[in-house]
């Protein structure tokens, strides 16, 4: 297998085993703690440390005043201990002197109110003043450390757009208009794309266009959609501006930490991924969700999709509780290892944490860390040391790749469109639909790649398209061509409804896929929150139903009750050697899993032994293949495998026992 550039870069982050790292904020501690920190990092096997993430006010304490002495000292301490640096550019949060001198850099919310300093990321992404100051900071940091031998990776800013993705200030308005002029060239083209004859919204000049600030009534959805696109591009522009400066001064690779996670949706990472030397993601278990660990699996698969199947780096996660959810749950014993193993199973070649030492002050003081408030005489620290040993044992996994012949289409643009104002039902959440599809596939034993609409599908047998509301003509034809060439497709309701301008595709839903599926939906019939419908097969469903007729497909199941009683619910259209399936409602987990399993079997997609409580993913190397099995249940289990258990060193023949809560990684000869 040819080693890709990213795979190679990841191997430079650690001498042996998978990279083990963390954010380190030495600014928060006295010098004597630094020495202790470095000693403990070595004890735990931490080899990659992110610093200077929030260092701006320390190295540049006043306008024109620079003091790198503390950072120099920390860098030399870490370097002396053989620890590699994931060096932050420090631009993530401007210091108070800057916002005091230039209050015009502060971001503005959609209601027109300013967001003040006192937290972090309090800047307008389009502010030229902010960008000037950030440029100077990055230039100085890159000049000083660009060729330092400890710098293994550049960490541009931090979670770009986490808090300030959407800024509605006048400066953002100016930048938005420039972006629109690039996109549409003429105001007439913009008027046509946005459908501005509606409600007398026609623009006569660019200067009349504002960011989509809060209005009395519903806003123009195409305007809002373009503002999302613009805002994602502005944040990417911040990355690019820093990257240009660093690349002139350093040969080390660059990345920034993505937030592929359930609670962030404002960045279209498909358009960012190509700028990264390696893909890095931050992920925290979100206990507000019904199934946090399933969301983790989905996010990890999506991160691998962004990395185009290459290994990637988990840049931040937590050993235990976070501090930003309403109920910040501690992890169960063993849960940390299972979470980490899920990321690795799905392609992570390095695991890093926020943060090294739990803060004593500041708004994150109750966030877990590698060194807890209790110190090293704690179960948490012992788990950290064990984790370091575990990661070292996984050296053979480096550079291996997850193989999947099932793909799931995912789109941030479509997410923005489907959850816009004035939609048929607030009960339809894009992530709910995507997560349910991913869950059904996982429970059916499938490993899914997550890919962008329009991506090459030739490597797949089966493609799942959950609630892909917005799709452009080209991406729609890629899917139709895939089915015509013998691929099997499952499309779910609310897909193919609008084009790239958010214009409804007329003639019946699901417009873009009507011919592919051989069905024609005349009317949506969404359900009330507590309402369920029953299908002829006995399956229960919720959220949505549709009044549809079938032109050229077989009716597999129909509605027994509800607003579409008697009408088709599930259809299949044969297409060449493949088939195009359509499900017009949100099936409950069991019937959804059974449907996906049935279609996968028909498609000839490879199904593994994984199911509801058992996560089993395979990573392939040139000579060996690795079965990563995680038992999330309290019942002992087993998985078929033959080879060597990387953790215990024991030989496995036929089947590997997988006790309740355990993780096994079995090396098999290919
Ligand atoms: C993100 C940020 C970190 C920290 C953690 C807390 O990952 O990048 O600085 O705030 O969240 O979970």
């Amino acid at each position: 297998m040819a080693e890709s550039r990213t795979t190679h870069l990841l191997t430079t982050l650690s001498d042996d085993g998978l990279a083990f790292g963390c954010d380190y904020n030495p600014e928060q501690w006295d010098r004597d703690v630094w020495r202790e920190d470095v000693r403990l990092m070595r004890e735990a096997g931490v080899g990659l440390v992110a610093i200077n993430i929030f260092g701006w006010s320390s190295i540049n304490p006043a306008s024109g005043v620079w003091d790198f002495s503390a950072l120099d000292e920390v860098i030399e301490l870490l370097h002396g201990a053989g620890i590699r640096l994931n060096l932050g550019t420090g631009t993530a949060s401007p210091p108070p002197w800057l916002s005091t001198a230039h209050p015009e850099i502060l971001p503005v919310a959609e209601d027109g109110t300013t967001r003040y300093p006192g937290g972090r990321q309090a800047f307008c992404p389009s502010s030229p003043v902010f960008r000037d100051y950030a440029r100077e900071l990055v230039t100085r940091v890159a000049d000083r450390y660009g060729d330092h031998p400890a710098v293994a990776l550049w960490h541009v800013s931090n979670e770009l757009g986490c808090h300030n993705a959407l800024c509605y200030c006048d400066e953002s308005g100016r930048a938005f208009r420039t972006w629109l002029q690039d996109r549409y060239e003429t105001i007439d083209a913009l008027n046509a794309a946005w459908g501005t004859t509606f409600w007398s919204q026609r623009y006569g000049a660019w200067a009349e266009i504002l960011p989509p600030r809060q209005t009395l009534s519903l806003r123009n959805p195409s305007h809002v959609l373009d503002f999302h696109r613009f805002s994602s591009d502005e944040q990417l522009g911040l990355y690019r501006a820093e990257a240009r400066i660093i690349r002139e001064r350093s040969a080390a690779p660059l990345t920034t930490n993505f937030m592929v996670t359930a609670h962030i949706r404002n960045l279209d990472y498909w358009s960012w991924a190509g700028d990264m030397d390696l893909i890095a993601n931050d992920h925290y278990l979100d206990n507000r969700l019904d199934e946090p660990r399933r969301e983790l699996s989905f996010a990890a698969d999506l991160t691998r999709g962004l990395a185009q199947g290459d290994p990637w780096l988990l840049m931040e996660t937590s050993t235990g509780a976070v501090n930003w959810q309403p109920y910040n749950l501690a992890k169960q014993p063993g849960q940390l290892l299972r979470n980490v193993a899920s990321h690795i199973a799905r392609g992570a070649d390095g695991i890093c944490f926020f943060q090294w030492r739990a803060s004593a002050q500041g708004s994150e003081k109750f966030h877990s860390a590698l060194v807890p408030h209790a110190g090293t005489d704690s179960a948490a620290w012992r788990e950290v040391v064990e984790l370091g040993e575990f990661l070292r044992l996984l050296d053979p996994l480096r550079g291996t790749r997850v193989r999947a012949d099932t793909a799931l289409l995912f789109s941030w643009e479509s997410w923005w469109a489907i959850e816009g104002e004035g939609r048929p039902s607030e009960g339809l959440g894009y992530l709910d639909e995507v997560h349910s599809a991913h869950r059904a596939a996982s429970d059916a034993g499938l490993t899914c790649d997550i890919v962008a609409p329009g991506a090459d599908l030739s490597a797949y047998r089966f493609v799942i398209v959950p609630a892909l509301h917005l799709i452009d003509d080209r991406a729609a034809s890629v899917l139709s061509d895939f089915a015509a060439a013998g691929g099997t497709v499952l499309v779910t309701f609310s897909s193919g409804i609008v084009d790239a301008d958010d214009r409804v595709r007329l003639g019946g839903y699901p417009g873009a896929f009507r011919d592919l599926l051989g069905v024609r939906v005349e009317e949506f019939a969404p359900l009330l929150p507590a309402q369920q419908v029953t299908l002829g097969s006995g399956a229960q469903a919720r959220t949505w139903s549709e009044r549809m007729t079938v032109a050229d497909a077989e009716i597999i199941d129909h509605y027994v009750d509800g607003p579409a009683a008697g009408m088709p619910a599930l259809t299949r259209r044969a297409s060449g050697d493949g088939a195009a399936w359509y499900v017009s409602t949100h099936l409950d987990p069991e019937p959804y899993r059974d449907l996906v399993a049935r279609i996968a079997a028909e498609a000839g997609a490879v199904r593994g032994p994984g199911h509801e409580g058992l996560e089993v993913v395979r990573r392939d190397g040139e000579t060996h293949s690795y079965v990563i099995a995680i038992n999330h249940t309290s019942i002992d289990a087993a998985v078929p495998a033959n080879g060597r258990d990387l953790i215990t060193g024991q030989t496995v023949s036929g089947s590997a026992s997988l006790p309740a809560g355990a993780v096994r990684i079995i090396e098999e000869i290919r």
Side-chain angles (χ1 to χ4, degrees), residues 23 53-54 120 158-159 257 282 284 316 322-324 354 364 367:
D23 272 29
I53 308 296
F54 294 103
R120 67 176 172 186
N158 188 61
E159 293 193 339
N257 39 353
D282 291 356
Y284 296 89
E316 288 182 30
V322 297
N323 68 311
W324 42 262
F354 176 84
E364 294 186 321
H367 194 292

Side-chain angles (χ1 to χ4, degrees), residues 23 25 53-54 92 120 155 157-160 162-163 257-259 263 281-284 315-318 321-324 353-355 363-364 367-368:
D23 272 29
N25 296 301
I53 308 296
F54 294 103
R120 67 176 172 186
H155 183 301
S157 191
N158 188 61
E159 293 193 339
L160 282 160
C162 177
H163 312 284
N257 39 353
F258 287 2
M259 298 165 286
H263 57 280
N281 192 41
D282 291 356
H283 189 274
Y284 296 89
M315 187 77 102
E316 288 182 30
T317 188
S318 67
V322 297
N323 68 311
W324 42 262
F353 289 85
F354 176 84
Q355 62 177 328
S363 60
E364 294 186 321
H367 194 292
S368 62

